[in-house]
């Protein structure tokens, strides 16, 4: 798949952030459905830079990872891409993310009574780009 097509697929049509999407519900559901048989699957809560209509916004987002691949099922999508590319396009800092295996996912959902987010505030961020690290602070 060409990079331009990947970028187009990542352009979510979501106007009300952070409440405009279903990423926490859909990523949680994907984990619950596939996590029992796929032991390498992780649920991720992190902060991303928006693409397309969301360009210029940083916000809390959820997806799943299977080793070096990202599976993003938010807003009716079933988008799968190499993790390195997803992180680069979304300007994801892996140190800001929270990663949960299947059992941790169930434990956190029970503890908080939701499908997420649990340890990251659900909001739009106003961060400054740090040219030394290549991430937003």
């Amino acid at each position: 798949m060409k990079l331009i097509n990947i970028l187009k697929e990542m352009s979510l049509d979501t106007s009300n952030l952070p409440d405009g999407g279903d990423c926490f519900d859909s990523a949680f559901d994907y984990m619950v459905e596939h996590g029992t048989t796929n032991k390498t699957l992780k649920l991720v809560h992190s902060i991303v830079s928006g693409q397309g209509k969301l360009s210029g916004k940083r916000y809390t987002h959820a997806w799943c990872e299977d080793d070096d691949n990202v599976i993003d099922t938010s807003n009716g999508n079933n988008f799968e891409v190499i993790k390195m590319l997803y992180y680069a396009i979304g300007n994801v800092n892996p140190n800001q993310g929270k990663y949960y295996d299947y059992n941790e996912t169930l434990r956190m959902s029970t503890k908080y009574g939701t499908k997420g987010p649990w340890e990251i505030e659900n909001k739009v961020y106003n961060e400054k780009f740090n040219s030394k690290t290549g991430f937003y602070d």
Side-chain angles (χ1 to χ4, degrees):
M1 177 178 280
K2 292 183 178 180
L3 179 58
I4 191 67
N5 293 334
I6 292 170
L7 292 172
K8 286 179 182 176
E9 285 189 35
M10 290 183 71
S11 297
L12 305 176
D13 186 11
T14 305
S15 57
N16 291 325
L17 289 175
D19 296 326
D22 68 348
C23 63
F24 292 101
D25 289 345
S26 65
F28 176 90
D29 292 344
Y30 188 92
M31 170 55 96
V32 169
E33 182 178 343
H34 299 279
T36 56
T37 57
N38 183 345
K39 301 303 180 189
T40 63
L41 194 65
K42 299 282 186 205
L43 172 65
V44 182
H45 294 170
S46 194
I47 303 165
V48 299
S49 293
Q51 305 299 314
K53 294 179 182 182
L54 302 178
S55 183
K57 297 187 185 298
R58 301 261 308 145
Y59 56 93
T60 318
H61 190 53
W63 62 89
C64 289
E65 293 181 4
D66 184 7
D67 288 326
D68 290 330
N69 293 309
V70 167
I71 303 107
D72 188 334
T73 57
S74 62
N75 301 315
N77 293 307
N78 189 14
F79 182 73
E80 190 167 341
V81 67
I82 296 169
K83 180 178 168 179
M84 181 177 68
L85 180 60
Y86 190 88
Y87 277 47
I89 292 170
N91 203 352
V92 177
N93 181 341
N95 297 321
Q96 288 181 321
K98 301 294 182 180
Y99 301 82
Y100 307 97
D101 66 20
Y102 177 78
N103 290 327
E104 292 166 327
T105 298
L106 297 180
R107 186 170 44 254
M108 295 301 277
S109 177
T110 301
K111 177 179 178 180
Y112 288 94
T114 69
K115 294 181 178 182
W118 304 308
E119 300 176 290
I120 295 179
E121 187 177 354
N122 191 21
K123 69 175 190 174
V124 176
Y125 291 81
N126 295 313
E127 300 171 314
K128 302 289 184 203
F129 184 73
N130 183 332
S131 60
K132 290 182 182 180
T133 65
F135 294 110
Y136 286 81
D137 296 325

